[in-house]
Each structure stands twice: as C-alpha cells, then as structure tokens.
Amino acid sequence: MTPAIRPGTDADADGFIRLIGDAWAEYPNCVLDVDAEVPELRALATHFEKVGGALWAAEADGAIVGMVATRPLRDDDEAWEIGRMYVAKSARGTGLAHALLDRAEAHAVAHGAKRMILWTDTRFEAAHRFYEKRGYVRAGSIRILDDISNSLEFRYAKPATGVVVEVLDAAAASSAERRLAEILVACVAAGASVSYLPPLSPEVARAFWRGVSADVATGAKVLLGAWCDGQLAGTVQLVLAQQPNAPHRAEVAKVLVDPAFRRRGIGRALIRRAEQTARGIGRRLLVLDTEAGGDAERLYRSLGWQETGRVPGYALGHDRQPLDTVFFWKRP
C-alpha cells in the first residue's frame, strides 16, 4: 500500500516514538529515552504548532512509516529548520523520503523561508547521502548534545529559493562531492569541453571532486556552488596561482551547470560571483579558456572578458575531433 502523507497529530505519538526508536536502534549506543530527553514526542503536533511550524505523518496499513516537521528559526526570520525526518526501513527506497521532504520544504518556502537548515547525527550516514542529494551541504561546526547517546550532529544548510551562488568551505565541498560528480557526468555527456570525454564514470568524477575538496582545504582553490530553487545545480572554481610572483592572479575553471537547469541565468550568476569573490581575496587578474564558438564563449564576451587568442585543435570534442580553444582575461 502506498503511504498516505497527512498532517501529524498528537494522537500519533506512539507511532512516532516507535518509528524513531526503531531508526535509532539501527546504530550502536543510540538510545531513545522519551520522557528524560524528548518529552515533546508525547504531543509533537502541539509542540510544532506552538513555534509556528508544521508536522506530517506518512501512514500505511494503519502504521506510521514516515514523518517530517519544519519550523521557523527564532534568530533568523528567513531560515526554517527541517526536523524529525524519519522513514521506516520497510518504506526506504520507495520515494517516500523525497515526498516528505518536498512537503516540508514547500511549506517553509510558502511561509517565507529563504534558507533551509537541519541537524543530523554524525552516525546517520545514509541520511547524509540523502540530504546531500537534495542539495544540502555541511555548514558550520559540529553540535555536541549532552544526551544519553553522546550524540554529535552535523549542520546542513542550503538556499531555498531562486538562483543563489555561495562559496563552499572544505566541509561543504566534501559534502557536495556526490552531487557535483553527478553534474560533471551530466555536463560531459551533454558535450561540455571540460577535460573529460564521455562516457565519464561516476567513480572518476567523484575522485576529481575529492581532489578539489582537498585543494579547498589547503587554500589552493576557491569552490563556489549555485543553487536553483533549493537544488545544487552548478559550480565554478577559482584556481589560485601559487607562484611567488603571481599572488594577484587566478584561473576561472570548471564552470558547470547541470543541463537540466540551463537557460535560467545560473552560468552568468556563477561568473559574476566568481569575479566578486576574486576581488575580495585580492586576485586582480583572472584568466580562463573555453571551446571556441560555444555558448560559454558568448557568455564570457557578454560579461566583458577580453580575448587573448586562440589555439587551433587544443582539445578533443565530444566526437573525439580537435576543437579550437579561446583564451580570455579580465580584471574583476
């Protein structure tokens, strides 16, 4: 039976407690002590109603098989928090988790959310993969909970609406690797001239982004991500020149927009934010190269980039035939 998603009620308490308890029991030393630590589970709908939030339950054959909640954050009038996100083991892989999170995010956005945040136990690795697939990235420090389970929690966040470009620190870059690998694979398959030829395996793509994350951690690169209505949809890098005589220079590299999100201004937003970021860190000269005659060349010219020259047959295209490459520079 397909689970039905409905507003949660206080009468669902036993089902919620059973669902959460079963989920926690999958991990060592993760103990649910309701009355001592989370008494709000006895009347969870009332709890979220009091703070201006909402709660949903997924029910199948009379049993609670999923839940999610959201609430506005008191210290940030544009941010909403996702919480109490659980799906029974029997209902995983069915799309229920996505449907629940869709419901909560849509409610938050409809009530003014510009940013979504959540906390998840460091042991819940499957949950991390799920949230990362949904465009969330690690943000901020680990939270230490003084509870019986000795819990540590990661903070995840993402922009919720519109096209937003942000700089990713090392933790965010690492948590974005899976999604960025998907974008790279999709761009290569669509014919993008970005060093790789199709078919690009997910494993090779992941290895590339692990290297980028390491470079971000050491300060060799600045990585930016672009979100479109809550989905991580594009990226660009600033490769910082390391030579002693070039502290003023950086290369703009790997400008990627998921083919499913093109024609929405994401590429333009990425380049503008990369230029702004470069100015902020004292990089006063930017260079890049791109396939001649493509959409990217037209974009760079429209943004005021100056052609330095072109090299015939510099790289192989999608069909393994040599393509000309154009080199550009700009003072941001």
Side-chain angles (χ1 to χ4, degrees), residues 39 64 90 102 149 171 266 301 317:
I64 301 296
S90 62
D102 283 343
S149 302
I266 297 172
R301 291 188 187 280

Side-chain angles (χ1 to χ4, degrees), residues 5-18:
I5 300 176
R6 57 168 175 77
T9 70
D10 289 347
D12 293 318
D14 289 343
F16 288 152
I17 291 169
R18 186 179 304 109

Side-chain angles (χ1 to χ4, degrees), residues 221-301:
K221 291 181 178 178
V222 177
L223 178 65
L224 295 89
W227 281 261
C228 181
D229 293 333
Q231 296 298 313
L232 186 54
T235 181
V236 65
Q237 301 169 39
L238 289 172
V239 183
L240 307 181
Q242 301 298 305
Q243 300 92 328
N245 68 343
H248 62 294
R249 191 177 75 234
E251 179 185 359
V252 174
K254 291 293 185 295
V255 183
L256 302 171
V257 177
D258 188 324
F261 289 86
R262 290 179 182 169
R263 308 299 177 188
R264 305 189 195 186
I266 297 172
R268 184 173 295 272
L270 280 165
I271 296 300
R272 288 196 181 282
R273 183 60 190 274
E275 293 172 359
Q276 178 188 49
T277 301
R279 287 196 301 272
I281 59 175
R283 300 286 167 152
R284 303 183 303 279
L285 175 64
L286 297 178
V287 296
L288 62 80
D289 63 82
T290 189
E291 174 187 337
D295 291 340
E297 180 186 354
R298 289 187 285 274
L299 171 63
Y300 301 138
R301 291 188 187 280

Side-chain angles (χ1 to χ4, degrees), residues 148-170:
I148 193 172
S149 302
N150 296 312
S151 300
L152 302 175
E153 292 184 331
F154 290 137
R155 184 180 185 271
Y156 277 82
K158 69 174 182 178
T161 61
V163 174
V164 179
V165 180
E166 296 184 351
V167 175
L168 306 183
D169 64 14

Side-chain angles (χ1 to χ4, degrees), residues 12-22 32 34 41-42 67:
D12 293 318
D14 289 343
F16 288 152
I17 291 169
R18 186 179 304 109
L19 177 66
I20 297 172
D22 289 346
L32 179 63
V34 175
L41 292 181
R42 301 291 185 192
M67 63 185 297

Side-chain angles (χ1 to χ4, degrees), residues 5 40 66 113 118 130 156 170 202 265 307:
I5 300 176
E40 65 269 19
L118 61 86
F130 170 71
Y156 277 82
E307 179 180 337

